[in-house]
Amino acid sequence: MTPNAAFMSAPAAPSTFNKDNPFSAKITENRVLNKPGSAKETRHFVVSLEGSDLKYKAGDSLGVFPKNRPADVAEIVERLGASGEELVSPAMLKLPVPITLHDALTNRLSLSKPTRKILETLAAKATDAGEKARLTEWISPEAKERVPVYLEEREFIDLLNEYPSAKVSPQEFVDHLRKLMPRLYSIASSSKAFPNEIHLTVAVVRYHMTGRDRVGVCSTFMADRVALNSPQVPVFVSDSHFGPPADGSKDAIMVGPGTGIAPFRAFVQDRIASGATGRNWVFFGDQKHATDFLYDTEWNDYVAKGQVHKLDLAWSRDQILKVYVQDKMRESGAELWAWLKNGGYFFVCGDAKRMAKDVDVALHDVIVQHGGMTTEQAVEYVKQMKKDKRYQRDVY
């Protein structure tokens, strides 16, 4: 057996770090990608893998376990009339030994997405006649259609504040809460270029609703509450079906508006590092060219070097009529079909609710118009692309 054959036959050792045993990583870089004046806050994070045996490939995601905002935890503790040192054993966690209320609320439980069950508990506990009447109304069969909308706009603290006469114990309260789950972010770097770090492209969520400032738990955890170079970010690598063509000679068409650009930054880095000869075509879009062109210097450099062969940009707020990535696909329909006909791969990453659906419709339209197919034939063509792994989506 040649040394090379022996090397190839040895399976990669699994990492000692995983979802059940995350690695405490450091964030070594945290910068805003949008320019001043943008309506968005998109950040670039660099997560160091030093000290871990974590490995990743282009297309994978990084799982991040966040902590809740201290101010939110403190407000709940105060509203419960507690100190935070009370021992609790939340039903969802199935713990071998109790933990403090403060630990449970900070590290282990989600403080959002209340259910009808908490309304039932508060209704049983309310001593104020008006509060009890309102709660009784919310849990009545007549309110069944309206309750989801009511709860959608509230977190648990809102309900404690709205019905202060309903006193629940720390244990009763935590039994209503779900687990605080890790968030998965598409990795925006290639391990071929950055073996000891992972890059993330994260939209930081901040908004105002029902009289309160709300935030995305994980995005603001990384943006606001993690000190640089401090090992306090529990992470794991989540393996993905999504990835650049195994055959480097194949062309890749990548559609990733907004933070959907993340894995395609990884794909391009990966293909350059591995000497792939296939062409790269990137579609990116956001609100305004002047403020929202994420990684603009890098993309322009790739184009100048011929490493990205086509870069189509769609700006929705730069003119009266909104322009999106699917509009750019239709504009270049003939060339897009030529790439597909030649065996090109088609990738989409980003918003599942609207963008991915609109891109899928545009793809079918391009195949009908420029491939000379009927609608039915185009549907079958796309189905075959999916079977052949030539059409891949990472949508959320």
Side-chain angles (χ1 to χ4, degrees):
M1 186 183 284
T2 64
N4 201 35
F7 173 76
M8 289 183 70
S9 65
S15 169
T16 50
F17 297 105
N18 51 43
K19 188 177 177 182
D20 298 319
N21 179 37
F23 172 66
S24 291
K26 297 174 186 174
I27 289 180
T28 58
E29 192 178 325
N30 168 5
R31 63 184 167 92
V32 179
L33 292 170
N34 309 88
K35 307 285 193 302
S38 174
K40 298 189 170 186
E41 182 186 341
T42 314
R43 287 181 182 257
H44 175 79
F45 295 103
V46 175
V47 181
S48 172
L49 298 180
E50 275 189 31
S52 81
D53 56 356
L54 288 172
K55 302 280 187 285
Y56 72 100
K57 62 188 189 306
D60 286 348
S61 296
L62 187 72
V64 180
F65 282 95
K67 294 178 189 290
N68 286 311
R69 274 196 304 186
D72 295 339
V73 172
E75 193 176 355
I76 288 175
V77 169
E78 184 185 350
R79 180 52 74 189
L80 291 174
S83 69
E85 294 308 309
E86 294 82 0
L87 292 177
V88 293
S89 188
M92 282 298 292
L93 299 183
K94 300 181 173 60
L95 299 172
V97 291
I99 57 177
T100 67
L101 174 64
H102 188 271
D103 181 12
L105 296 179
T106 302
N107 303 308
R108 310 296 294 273
L109 298 169
S110 171
L111 310 182
S112 62
K113 296 189 168 49
T115 65
R116 190 175 177 277
K117 198 175 168 197
I118 186 72
L119 296 178
E120 291 171 358
T121 298
L122 295 173
K125 299 267 183 180
T127 55
D128 177 88
E131 290 177 23
K132 198 171 191 75
R134 291 206 307 279
L135 284 160
T136 303
E137 188 180 332
W138 277 120
I139 61 175
S140 70
E142 292 75 32
K144 194 177 176 187
E145 303 294 321
R146 292 181 290 127
V147 163
V149 178
Y150 172 74
L151 291 175
E152 181 69 29
E153 295 178 346
R154 285 160 177 78
E155 294 174 351
F156 280 95
I157 186 58
D158 299 303
L159 299 175
L160 295 181
N161 285 335
E162 241 173 285
Y163 307 105
S165 78
K167 302 295 183 194
V168 292
S169 71
Q171 182 63 51
E172 286 171 320
F173 179 71
V174 297
D175 281 345
H176 285 87
L177 307 187
R178 297 180 174 91
K179 282 183 189 177
L180 184 58
M181 301 301 286
R183 276 39 172 191
L184 291 177
Y185 295 102
S186 299
I187 294 175
S189 55
S190 163
S191 59
K192 291 186 176 81
F194 299 96
N196 297 316
E197 58 190 46
I198 280 175
H199 300 180
L200 302 178
T201 311
V202 178
V204 181
V205 179
R206 307 183 198 272
Y207 61 103
H208 193 82
M209 190 165 66
T210 56
R212 290 176 69 86
D213 288 324
R214 318 277 174 168
V215 298
V217 173
C218 198
S219 62
T220 58
F221 168 62
M222 291 192 291
D224 304 341
R225 302 194 294 282
V226 172
L228 283 183
N229 300 303
S230 173
Q232 52 177 307
V233 187
V235 302
F236 61 95
V237 170
S238 178
D239 188 53
S240 175
H241 66 283
F242 195 68
D247 180 348
S249 70
K250 297 295 184 186
D251 294 336
I253 302 155
M254 298 161 264
V255 183
T259 55
I261 198 63
F264 303 134
R265 183 175 181 263
F267 280 26
V268 170
Q269 287 178 2
D270 208 74
R271 281 163 67 81
I272 292 168
S274 63
T277 54
R279 297 171 297 174
N280 298 310
W281 184 349
V282 175
F283 287 86
F284 174 74
D286 215 314
Q287 291 188 349
K288 296 186 174 185
H289 183 278
T291 58
D292 303 313
F293 188 180
L294 309 183
Y295 304 111
D296 52 347
T297 307
E298 289 180 31
W299 292 120
N300 290 330
D301 190 45
Y302 287 139
V303 171
K305 289 177 177 171
Q307 293 165 328
V308 167
H309 299 75
K310 276 183 73 70
L311 178 65
D312 273 309
L313 305 171
W315 309 109
S316 62
R317 305 292 194 277
D318 274 352
Q319 59 288 308
I320 295 169
L321 287 178
K322 291 181 179 177
V323 177
Y324 296 109
V325 283
Q326 61 268 23
D327 301 315
K328 290 292 180 180
M329 283 171 58
R330 287 190 174 93
E331 271 180 33
S332 299
E335 192 173 358
L336 189 58
W337 168 245
W339 281 48
L340 293 174
K341 191 178 168 188
N342 191 42
Y345 280 59
F346 188 83
F347 300 93
V348 185
C349 180
D351 167 54
K353 288 193 184 79
R354 290 187 60 181
M355 182 278 295
K357 289 176 184 172
D358 292 341
V359 164
D360 189 72
V361 169
L363 177 64
H364 282 80
D365 290 349
V366 164
I367 293 166
V368 168
Q369 187 179 348
H370 300 281
M373 296 188 196
T374 64
T375 303
E376 292 75 19
Q377 287 169 328
V379 168
E380 288 307 311
Y381 185 88
V382 171
K383 273 187 191 166
Q384 191 59 47
M385 280 179 69
K386 287 178 180 173
K387 275 187 193 162
D388 298 339
K389 302 281 193 293
R390 283 180 54 218
Y391 180 10
Q392 296 181 30
R393 308 197 320 165
D394 178 12
V395 298
Y396 38 83

